[in-house]
Amino acid sequence: MPEPRRPTPDMLIDVDQLLRAYHDEHPDPRNPAQAVSFGTSGHRGTSLEGTFTEDHIVAISAAIAHYRAGQDITGPLFIGRDTHALSEPAFRTAVEVLVAHGVQVAVDADDGYTPTPAISHAILTHNSESAAHD
């Protein structure tokens, strides 16, 4: 078996630079290259290119809150985070915006990472328990 190779410096990201850009970059809404882009598992992009910034997360979270209010959705919103460098600041931003809009937010009790299957399980459990009480 070959020896594992370490990444070269040009393969690494500067996490501090990434975090600064998350807070400091303000995408031009007229620039399609900086628009919100969703992949199979959520919002995709990088703060270094202005495609995953605090402005994006604020806008998405506010849109979710407005949609829920317009549909009279009052149950909790389950939200998690993963190990990507921008997951923690995006999580904090989203929770702040959602709570400010009166959305009940459910997060991991241990303030840890939450893989998608854990969120799905929590939603299904909540829904089945709610249905049992109706």
Side-chain angles (χ1 to χ4, degrees):
M1 178 179 283
E3 284 278 324
R5 296 186 329 186
R6 294 187 180 270
T8 59
D10 63 306
M11 298 169 74
L12 302 175
I13 61 166
D14 181 337
V15 174
D16 290 334
Q17 180 186 19
L18 196 69
L19 294 171
R20 276 192 307 277
Y22 171 78
H23 293 290
D24 297 340
E25 288 296 316
H26 302 285
D28 179 351
R30 298 165 296 181
N31 181 350
Q34 293 182 326
V36 172
S37 176
F38 289 97
T40 56
S41 298
H43 181 14
R44 295 286 181 234
T46 175
S47 60
L48 300 176
E49 295 175 8
T51 55
F52 191 106
T53 66
E54 188 170 39
D55 289 355
H56 285 122
I57 302 304
V58 167
I60 292 166
S61 301
I64 290 168
H66 290 285
Y67 176 81
R68 287 172 55 94
Q71 300 295 311
D72 291 324
I73 299 170
T74 59
L77 184 143
F78 292 80
I79 187 170
R81 60 186 168 247
D82 60 22
T83 59
H84 288 90
L86 293 178
S87 186
E88 184 65 28
F91 171 83
R92 299 269 177 229
T93 300
V95 169
E96 289 171 5
V97 171
L98 293 164
V99 168
H101 281 88
V103 175
Q104 178 188 358
V105 178
V107 300
D108 179 65
D110 295 325
D111 199 32
Y113 300 117
T114 41
T116 301
I119 297 293
S120 296
H121 182 266
I123 293 167
L124 293 171
T125 300
H126 170 79
N127 290 346
S128 71
E129 289 173 356
S130 293
H133 292 101
D134 288 340

